[in-house]
Amino acid sequence: IAGITQAPTSQILAAGRRMTLRCTQDMRHNAMYWYRQDLGLGLRLIHYSNTAGTTGKGEVPDGYSVSRANTDDFPLTLASAVPSQTSVYFCASRREGMNTEAFFGQGTRLTVV
Amino acid sequence: AQTVTQSQPEMSVQEAETVTLSCTYDTSESDYYLFWYKQPPSRQMILVIRQEAYKQQNATENRFSVNFQKAAKSFSLKISDSQLGDAAMYFCAYRSAVSSGSRLTFGEGTQLTVNP
């Protein structure tokens, strides 16, 4: 089934541990994004990638890193998790062009204890 | 930088009635897109409706319509004949049309409850 897949769907993580959230899309979209969703704050952009090999910082990048080695995959890494990174994380992708729609994964609920 | 504001954290409506969700945004750009997304308890983000800023006509998708006031930078969502399945978190979002690499900026969200 074509779409965008995130893994894991949920995770409890000890503070200080390293964690990589996975995101894979099979739509050959150029652009990919990572958002975090927090109650009362909506979705905020963490990092983005307009094409394979390039990445950029969003609104709340601190404590997170990304890579884009190929078109399909866009992993998000928390090098040393802190409780404030407890959130729901969404990966999204969009085909290049002005009038194109973003597609979202099902989200990863991460709890840092 | 663009900002999007949803001033109603929660709204409720009776089944079959009409409800309007508010959204305002701030931008210096003249060309952009506006969106309403629905997020049911499943967490899935579902695009409800979109509006291109250069179009004066308000977008409509079945029971969903928008009131786009460009000068006032307002973009409200009207849901007619509300159904129990409309209960969800609704997000307003903005995306610049200046660059093909532009990203979505979201509002805080409005939690809609539909009462039977």
Side-chain angles (χ1 to χ4, degrees), chain B residues 35-105:
Chain B
F35 306 84
W36 278 99
Y37 282 87
K38 172 184 178 181
Q39 186 184 50
S42 66
R43 249 180 13 210
Q44 186 63 41
M45 293 290 285
I46 302 166
L47 179 62
V48 174
I49 199 166
R50 61 183 287 163
Q51 174 82 40
E52 288 90 349
Y54 63 86
K55 291 186 177 180
Q56 293 186 338
Q57 186 173 6
N58 289 323
T60 299
E61 288 287 342
N62 301 314
R63 296 182 296 107
F64 299 87
S65 62
V66 298
N67 184 4
F68 173 48
Q69 300 290 326
K70 191 172 184 179
K73 297 179 182 175
S74 171
F75 183 60
S76 60
L77 175 70
K78 185 172 80 171
I79 306 175
S80 303
D81 185 25
S82 297
Q83 300 176 358
L84 295 177
D86 295 333
M89 179 73 82
Y90 286 82
F91 292 101
C92 179
Y94 169 104
R95 181 162 66 81
S96 170
V98 172
S99 166
S100 63
S102 58
R103 285 79 65 184
L104 286 165
T105 299

Side-chain angles (χ1 to χ4, degrees), chain A residues 29-86:
Chain A
H29 287 174
N30 297 90
M32 297 188 74
Y33 315 91
W34 274 105
Y35 290 89
R36 60 176 290 173
Q37 180 181 356
D38 301 288
L39 189 64
L41 297 176
L43 282 79
R44 293 178 293 167
L45 183 66
I46 304 171
H47 284 287
Y48 66 93
S49 171
N50 287 333
T51 189
T54 69
T55 61
K57 294 182 178 180
E59 183 184 356
V60 287
D62 293 344
Y64 306 94
S65 64
V66 292
S67 62
R68 187 87 184 276
N70 58 61
T71 297
D72 298 344
D73 302 299
F74 191 43
L76 176 73
T77 297
L78 289 68
S80 179
V82 295
S84 62
Q85 292 178 311
T86 294

Side-chain angles (χ1 to χ4, degrees), chain A residues 78-98:
Chain A
L78 289 68
S80 179
V82 295
S84 62
Q85 292 178 311
T86 294
S87 188
V88 177
Y89 291 86
F90 284 94
C91 181
S93 70
R94 186 168 71 88
R95 180 170 51 86
E96 185 176 6
M98 291 297 185

